[in-house]
Amino acid sequence: MRLAFAAIATALALIAQPARAVQPDEMLANPALEARAEAVGRELRCLVCRNQSVEDSDAGLAHDLRVLIRQRIARGETNTQVVAYIRSRYGDFVLLKPPFKLDTALLWGGPFLLVLLGAGLAWRFYRRQPPVATPPLSEDEQRRLSALLDDGAQP
Amino acid sequence: MKRRRWVFLAPAAVFGLMAAAFYWGLGLDTMVLPSPLIDEPAPHFALPPLPGHRDGFSSADLKGHVSVVNAFASWCVPCRDEQPALNALARTKRVPIYGIDYEDKPADALAWIGALGDPYTRIGADSGQVGIDWGIYGVPETFLVDADGRIRYKHVGPLTEADIHRTILPLVARLER
């Protein structure tokens, strides 16, 4: 019973799609243009809820931005032009993927810096370890080793 | 051996640095975003008046003098807190205040200024698109526009009377010079 329930829950979770906030009356009739509008909306942050894209958010501002994106795309603007316009109004924060600039250099470069730092520390640490010299076997050990080896050779 | 001793202090030092960074971060107001429109010309727009009012609000109104532009809405609770400060600013007769009634029902907006006072020289009713031109993402937001029609200052969130006296009025005086 419990297993069946878990199986059903898993199956439902697998077929579930994230709910989209786009209303049917907002959509463009031309599917190619609508797909472009969606792509633009996915790149843009809804500034009311902050961590949802304009395409996912139910906020009033996100609705207005979706309408604006579709108006501009229907008017013949490129995706880049639409994004540039909205960025000129709301700044870089509206882009879900921040551009590489001087003030975002630490954000983009940080992980690489940490890897370099770790590699440097590891290199210093291992270089400092003296190579471990293995002392030669004593006579007694040598005899026991030969006995074991001989033993193994004669089943 | 002596060289190694500082290594044991390193985790404490890292912790200290992180704690300081997070403590600093706690004090930041993440709701306030820097506007890319500062020192840019105000957008071109023409908003219709509220029903019963003679004039709407358009970019032509901003030319030739310093203006305060305030985006508000009757459904916005912080705007309610802000209204006494705006009324006080209006009483100084120092600077005209223009209102952008953002995504509002006109009848509600009329009832709202009827109840809380009307500090506005002109009000334009916006269905949301002009708000995007101004980079508005949450009301109330207040802009200072200079005589050339450039946006020079933006305040996000409700203005207090202290903001009016400490920031807005001194800036108006500076922009008029």
Side-chain angles (χ1 to χ4, degrees), chain B residues 2 14 24 42 49 64 83 88 96 100 116-117 122 128-129 134-135 137 141 145 166 169:
Chain B
K2 209 174 173 195
V14 169
W24 174 74
Q83 209 68 0
I100 296 177
L116 296 168
R122 288 181 176 202
Q129 298 297 310
W134 281 84
Y137 57 89
E141 290 185 15
V145 180
R166 272 188 222 143
L169 288 173

Side-chain angles (χ1 to χ4, degrees), chain A residues 47-48 50 60-61 63-65 67-68 71-72 85-93 124-125 128-129, chain B residues 3-4 6 30-37 41 43 102-103 127-129 131-137:
Chain A
L47 292 162
V48 179
R50 297 295 169 94
L61 176 63
H63 164 83
D64 292 341
L65 284 170
V67 171
L68 179 99
Q71 279 171 355
R72 286 185 169 247
Y85 171 73
I86 294 176
R87 189 176 167 193
S88 76
R89 304 288 123 182
Y90 289 101
D92 290 340
F93 190 68
R124 276 191 56 170
F125 178 77
R128 216 188 280 156
Q129 303 284 322
Chain B
R3 248 176 70 104
R4 283 226 158 174
W6 65 269
T30 53
M31 281 316 285
V32 177
L33 298 175
S35 172
L37 290 171
Y102 182 69
E103 297 219 0
S127 59
Q129 298 297 310
I132 293 175
D133 287 340
W134 281 84
I136 291 169
Y137 57 89

Side-chain angles (χ1 to χ4, degrees), chain B residues 2 5 31 33 37 47 49 64 75 86 89 97-98 132 143 148 150 158-159 161 164-165 171:
Chain B
K2 209 174 173 195
R5 197 163 291 164
M31 281 316 285
L33 298 175
L37 290 171
L47 288 174
W75 47 261
L86 285 178
L89 177 61
I97 308 173
Y98 296 101
I132 293 175
F143 300 85
D148 300 328
R150 274 176 195 278
L159 285 168
E161 293 211 32
I164 301 279
H165 292 289
L171 259 174

